[in-house]
Structure formats: C-alpha cells, structure tokens
Amino acid sequence: MKKTLTSALFSLLLLVCGVNLLSAQTVSGGGAQNDGFVLVLRGPGGQILEYDQALPCQILGTAWGGDVTKTPQIKGDLVFGFDSPGGQVDSFLCDTVLNNYTGKIVVVRRGVCAFSDKTLNAQRAGAIAVIALNNAANPADCATPNPGAGATAGQVTIPTVTTSMVVANQILGLLNAGTVEGEFVLPPFGPRDVKIVEGFYTPSNVQTPEAHMGTDTFAFSANVLNSGTETATNVVLVTEVQRANGSVIVADTVFLGDIIAGDTVNSSDIDTTVTLWPPTVANGIVVGTYNLVHKVFADGNDARPSDNASSAPFIITDFLFAKEDGNIVQASRPSTLPSAWHWGNVYTMSAATQEQYKAVSVVINYATNAAPDPQPNEIQADISLFRVNDDIGADFSGFDPEQFPPEQDATFVGFGSFQAPSDAAQFQDHEIQLLDFNTLEENVVLDKGARYIAMVSFKEPFNTVFLSYGDVATLPGVSDLLYITSWSGGFVGDPDPYVRLNIGLVSTTDERPLADNTMRIVPNPVSETLNLQFDFAKPTQATITLADMTGKVITIDDRPSLLNDQLQYPVTRLAPGTYLARVATPEGTLTKQFVVVK
C-alpha cells in the first residue's frame, strides 16, 4: 500500500477562467465510499440510462458527505439547481438557494465553487442527492472529476456523485426531453456478483526509464469481493501485462476457490509465490505504453461483468521518471495555506546498470485561480534534489517528520530556480535546469541504487498556486513526500505531483576504452533497424545506451550476460542526424557514432 506517513488534507483547484480539473481512472475502480452502486435514470418515452460506479467514463462518488451505499432508498425527480426562485442564469449553485428542492435529486454544473458548497446549498433546500455534471472542453472526455472536500464538507450529509463529460451530455439530453426520475440502486445486484475491489499497482512509477525498470517488480495481488447473495464457486484471478494494443506479453493465474457472499479474498493470501518479474528488452518490452490488468472469473453468469476487471498503464521511457502519464487536467494545494509548502516525488536509481547517470532537469506543471492570486506567468518556485540516506528504511522509517530541510536524513545535492515565462499558461510544462549544489555546475551525478526526492517549493505570495498531479493508480510504498508543517506521505486520496525528473549520461567519452572490435555497428548509416554486434571473450554484464550527441538518453538496455550477440534497435522514430551507441561493462566503455537517414 502506498502511504506510511500521515496524509494531509488537500483541496482541489476550482473551475475558474476555463481551468478544467478532471480525475483520472484508478486501477481499483472505486472510491473511499459510495463504492458499488448504479444510477438509473428513467426519462420520457420509456428511455432508461444506467451508470455504474465500477465503470470508467461514467460516475464517481465522493469520499465525504453521505454515502450512497449507506443511505436509505434514494429516488426522486432530477431538477437543475439554481440560486434564485425561477432562476435560469446558471446551475453552479454556489450561492444561498431560495428554491425548494425537497425530495429532489439536484443537478449542478461543476465550477466556480467547491463541490461541497454546491451540495450543502442543495441539502439546505431539501435535496436528497446531488449530481455534478462535468463540463470539459472536449465533449468526448471520459475523465470523471474527483470531488475534493471543500471547507464545508463536514456539514454535508447527502450524497454527491460526479459524471464524465460523456455522461453529462447524455443526462442533459434526457432532461431537455422532459421529466426524469433518478434512482440509486445498491447491491446485491444478483446471486453471482464477484468484483475486483482493488488490483494492486506495483510499479513504483507510472513512467520509468528503461535502464531503471530493474527497480520494479510486478507482483501478482488483488482483492476480490463476492457482493452477490450466493457463494461464488471456482473463482480465478488472472493478471496480465499487455501491450497498448491489448496483446498479452506475460500472464499468470491464482485459483481463489469458493468465496462466500460478502467476503473479500486477497490473492496473495492464497498464493504468495506468483510474481511477474520486470520486463526486459529480451521478452519484447521496450520504450512504450503497457497495461497491468487484473481479471476475475467464476462459475455462472455474473450480475455485473463490468467490474470483473481493472487496469492501469505503466510507461517505459528513454530518460524520464514521472508519477503520472501526462494526461493532466487537475491540480492541488493545501486547504489551509501555509506561508510555504513543498511537494515532490521519490525516484530510485537502478543498482544493476553499468552506466553512470546524471539528473539533468525537473519538469513541473501547475495552474492558478483568478486574480488577485498570482497568474501563471507570474509564478516563482524553488526546485530541490535530495539524496535519501541509505540507512532510511524503504518505508521511510527513521525519517524525521519535523525537520525541513531533511539535513539529518538526506543530502541536498541539487537545486534550480523557476521564474515563469511571460507567455506561461494554465497546465503547461516548465523545465528547470538542475545545478549541482557543491560545484554549481549543470547536472547532478546520480548514485546507483540510491533514492532521490525531486521537490518543488512555493512560497508567499506564490503559495496560492495549485500543482498538477496524477492519480492513474495508487503507487506502492512512499512514492511522494509533502511538507507543510511536517513531512507526510502526500495529500489525501494519494495523488502524485507532476514533478518529473529527466536523466542523461554523465559522460560520452571512454575513459577506459574497450577494444574497438568489442562492438560493431551495421549498417551505418541506418534508416530502420540498428544492429549492434558484440564480441566478448567471456560472458559479460553490460549496459547498452543509445543517445544523441549531447548525451541525452534515447534507449537503455541492461544485459546480464553478453558474449557474441547481435542486438537490434528500431530507429525509425529518430530524426535524421548523428547519434551515439555505447556499451559499458565493469572493464570499461566503448562509444561509437551512427548516422540515421530517411
């Protein structure tokens, strides 16, 4: 599980001045509450729409306010929520409501104020539930807003659900056609209904450089719930690593046996030996996007097959560490603003590589509220890179939660300063060059097997900024660290900040050169596939790196044993030009140039 440090409260950036904040799908498919329900809408002419909390691109319950699954029958007509009697100005519901919504399910639009403010206003007017419609710029957007807890959340007692843009448009169409009745239907949905309530995501990053995949293992683990009324028999869990096109690279199976109604079984309690080891170039996994997929099967027809699977992507990159997949339209900051706050990610270097790498830059992404808060082109921030001491536990036991900067538990090795450009916009990437703390020169040499914290700090008056984040999946261990008044394992809900770390080769010269015939390049020039032919006198541990002429890494390949091998690397995605092929071993290195032509 992800956090071992105390989590802090957080607030979501509101929809202001076109800033659109959406929540990504998680691998578990469920929230902290409101899990396991279906929203049924009955419209004019017998039209019926059904939306399942367990499905992506549909609806999402909140972790605050009323819990749909613990609330007596919720059934009533849908009405738009307006701030004044007969008002048709908007449906944000951010002001005191004078209409009477007793017994109604109130429909509101997201934006302008916190979700909890909207629901509290509807609740005071007699509503029994609130449906918040997303209003993304892209009508086909499948992301569902993650309704953050505003300052009024503790006063809310009725449920709130949010919708994707796709669902929002369908609901609007139904409402425009006439009277619509809504009902929240709870389980059990039938005698046979098994579901994956959490498929554990075991890579430590969403995006990891190829050379550092050795720090990740793909453990086989999921929680399976029988929410039906009868015992589920012959339950089987399958875990797969899939390519983006759905083809399966590796898979394994755990037989869970029979699960009685209402029980949850964790697959690791049944079989702790099944592990999908880190992918390598040898078995077909190279730079690209992949999915970790869990599926559950049982005898008979399942009442809701939609929740029998969960998936989340992991991405192998050339030289980028990141905790998100780049699809960022959401951001966060502390709900009570301190004079300064600090949020960063923990990245672990591979101990197996034969190369020496350096931290080149950090990339951040943020958004702001409307003036008088500082605007995107006015933001300033500090960037820090800390090397965590080796005696600090994997779960960060021994890390002093009160000390900032963490001088006793980590070493300050790099820094950078950010001044937003004049044309900076909302949710825009900004790359900041790292400087070595000791030499003041560009780039920071990284130690093999070490953990680093790449962190951004916002101080007054720029502490009002919202740092973008990802929640593709709940990452294992302590993957990010937050400091407000003490260190914690991040914000509630396990978002991971958009604080990326770019790495590169320390050197492209051969200080201890290997014999020239150790590696041959054929053909050269090359247009499609680069062939590297190796000639070692004995099996040799080696790291092969392709890079541009500045040392920026393109491909990394760790090999435990090279002898007389030929390795192939596609180069069709490279622009025409000159590049470096380099092999590093314990005995030395050899670097050669190759030319890509089109």
Side-chain angles (χ1 to χ4, degrees):
M1 312 308 294
K2 181 181 175 184
K3 308 294 184 189
T4 58
L5 302 176
T6 305
S7 290
L9 293 178
F10 76 103
S11 60
L12 292 178
L13 176 59
L14 308 180
L15 176 65
V16 179
C17 297
V19 180
N20 190 20
L21 300 178
L22 308 176
S23 172
Q25 178 188 350
T26 64
V27 69
S28 63
Q33 63 174 5
N34 294 308
D35 191 22
F37 65 87
V38 172
L39 172 61
V40 180
L41 303 180
R42 302 177 181 91
Q47 296 182 73
I48 298 178
L49 299 177
E50 292 188 3
Y51 302 107
D52 193 331
Q53 159 93 346
L55 288 178
C57 195
Q58 296 210 355
I59 57 177
L60 183 69
T62 67
W64 47 267
D67 186 340
V68 171
T69 63
K70 298 177 182 177
T71 304
Q73 184 183 37
I74 303 174
K75 186 176 182 179
D77 288 346
L78 269 62
V79 296
F80 276 113
F82 295 105
D83 299 324
S84 58
Q88 300 293 319
V89 178
D90 61 47
S91 53
F92 291 116
L93 213 65
C94 289
D95 298 317
T96 301
V97 179
L98 301 179
N99 290 318
N100 186 347
Y101 293 134
T102 300
K104 306 295 186 183
I105 298 175
V106 174
V107 177
V108 301
R109 301 178 194 272
R110 70 176 306 205
V112 179
C113 63
F115 284 104
S116 59
D117 294 343
K118 301 172 188 288
T119 303
L120 183 60
N121 287 334
Q123 175 183 302
R124 288 170 172 168
I128 58 175
V130 167
I131 299 174
L133 304 181
N134 194 16
N135 49 4
N138 178 7
D141 202 318
C142 270
T144 308
N146 187 355
T152 58
Q155 304 174 57
V156 176
T157 59
I158 64 173
T160 302
V161 298
T162 60
T163 76
S164 67
M165 186 65 176
V166 173
V167 170
N169 286 333
Q170 293 171 353
I171 293 176
L172 288 172
L174 206 60
L175 280 169
N176 289 335
T179 301
V180 178
E181 179 189 69
E183 180 181 7
F184 290 91
V185 181
L186 307 180
F189 299 101
R192 299 178 181 86
D193 187 12
V194 293
K195 64 179 292 186
I196 294 176
V197 292
E198 187 165 23
F200 296 110
Y201 186 91
T202 54
S204 57
N205 309 301
V206 175
Q207 302 192 60
T208 305
E210 192 173 358
H212 298 270
M213 283 304 297
T215 62
D216 281 330
T217 57
F218 290 77
F220 194 172
S221 182
N223 285 337
V224 177
L225 167 69
N226 178 10
S227 58
T229 58
E230 299 178 357
T231 297
T233 56
N234 296 318
V235 182
V236 175
L237 179 71
V238 176
T239 295
E240 299 173 343
V241 175
Q242 298 180 354
R243 294 185 178 88
N245 63 8
S247 62
V248 177
I249 301 170
V250 287
D252 218 325
T253 301
V254 171
F255 180 68
L256 302 181
D258 297 345
I259 305 177
I260 64 174
D263 269 11
T264 299
V265 173
N266 181 275
S267 62
S268 62
D269 295 335
I270 306 299
D271 188 342
T272 60
T273 64
V274 181
T275 301
L276 302 177
W277 291 107
T280 65
V281 175
N283 64 22
I285 297 186
V286 292
V287 171
T289 299
Y290 304 87
N291 287 296
L292 183 62
V293 179
H294 299 278
K295 302 176 182 179
V296 64
F297 303 92
D299 290 340
N301 295 322
D302 194 273
R304 290 193 305 163
S306 60
D307 58 16
N308 293 167
S310 68
S311 68
F314 68 91
I315 302 168
I316 301 177
T317 67
D318 296 319
F319 53 86
L320 173 68
F321 282 102
K323 302 289 184 178
E324 32 63 37
D325 63 357
N327 297 314
I328 299 297
V329 280
Q330 55 196 345
S332 183
R333 73 181 184 192
S335 55
T336 301
L337 283 179
S339 59
W341 58 284
H342 321 265
W343 198 11
N345 287 321
V346 179
Y347 296 115
T348 302
M349 303 302 116
S350 173
T353 182
Q354 296 299 309
E355 275 291 4
Q356 184 75 63
Y357 295 98
K358 61 188 178 184
V360 176
S361 62
V362 166
V363 179
I364 63 173
N365 186 296
Y366 60 83
T368 67
N369 268 336
D373 284 0
Q375 294 305 285
N377 61 353
E378 300 171 330
I379 297 300
Q380 298 178 24
D382 295 324
I383 305 298
S384 304
L385 186 67
F386 298 98
R387 185 197 187 281
V388 180
N389 293 350
D390 294 336
D391 60 352
I392 299 299
D395 60 354
F396 273 70
S397 56
F399 196 88
D400 186 349
E402 305 302 326
Q403 188 182 69
F404 187 88
E407 296 175 345
Q408 295 179 0
D409 305 319
T411 303
F412 183 46
V413 294
F415 68 97
S417 296
F418 172 69
Q419 169 69 61
S422 59
D423 60 349
Q426 306 280 21
F427 296 110
Q428 189 177 70
D429 281 5
H430 301 281
E431 185 173 5
I432 302 99
Q433 173 69 52
L434 284 171
L435 300 178
D436 186 286
F437 175 71
N438 294 309
T439 67
L440 301 184
E441 295 181 354
E442 291 185 349
N443 309 321
V444 180
V445 176
L446 301 171
D447 295 335
K448 299 176 183 179
R451 287 170 293 169
Y452 291 86
I453 305 169
M455 177 166 288
V456 59
S457 301
F458 297 106
K459 302 174 183 177
E460 287 183 320
F462 310 108
N463 57 337
T464 59
V465 72
F466 294 80
L467 185 61
S468 300
Y469 69 84
D471 58 358
V472 169
T474 300
L475 302 178
V478 180
S479 65
D480 65 285
L481 288 172
L482 172 72
Y483 187 90
I484 300 176
T485 57
S486 63
W487 288 101
S488 70
F491 288 114
V492 170
D494 290 345
D496 292 288
Y498 198 112
V499 181
R500 297 176 161 190
L501 181 64
N502 283 311
I503 65 170
L505 281 171
V506 167
S507 174
T508 58
T509 61
D510 301 318
E511 297 180 4
R512 292 183 297 144
L514 299 172
D516 187 71
N517 64 352
T518 300
M519 178 179 69
R520 293 193 303 122
I521 301 176
V522 288
N524 194 6
V526 59
S527 59
E528 295 183 355
T529 302
L530 177 71
N531 295 291
L532 299 183
Q533 295 180 349
F534 295 93
D535 184 11
F536 288 100
K538 61 181 180 179
T540 301
Q541 185 177 8
T543 296
I544 295 90
T545 303
L546 305 184
D548 65 17
M549 295 300 290
T550 69
K552 186 176 181 180
V553 176
I554 298 168
T555 296
I556 304 171
D557 183 6
D558 286 324
R559 295 283 171 158
S561 179
L562 273 185
L563 189 59
N564 302 116
D565 299 275
Q566 176 173 295
L567 303 182
Q568 294 185 326
Y569 302 92
V571 296
T572 53
R573 62 192 176 98
L574 299 182
T578 303
Y579 296 87
L580 301 175
R582 178 180 173 93
V583 58
T585 74
E587 288 73 35
T589 61
L590 179 63
T591 306
K592 293 187 175 183
Q593 296 183 7
F594 66 94
V595 177
V596 173
V597 295
K598 301 296 183 181

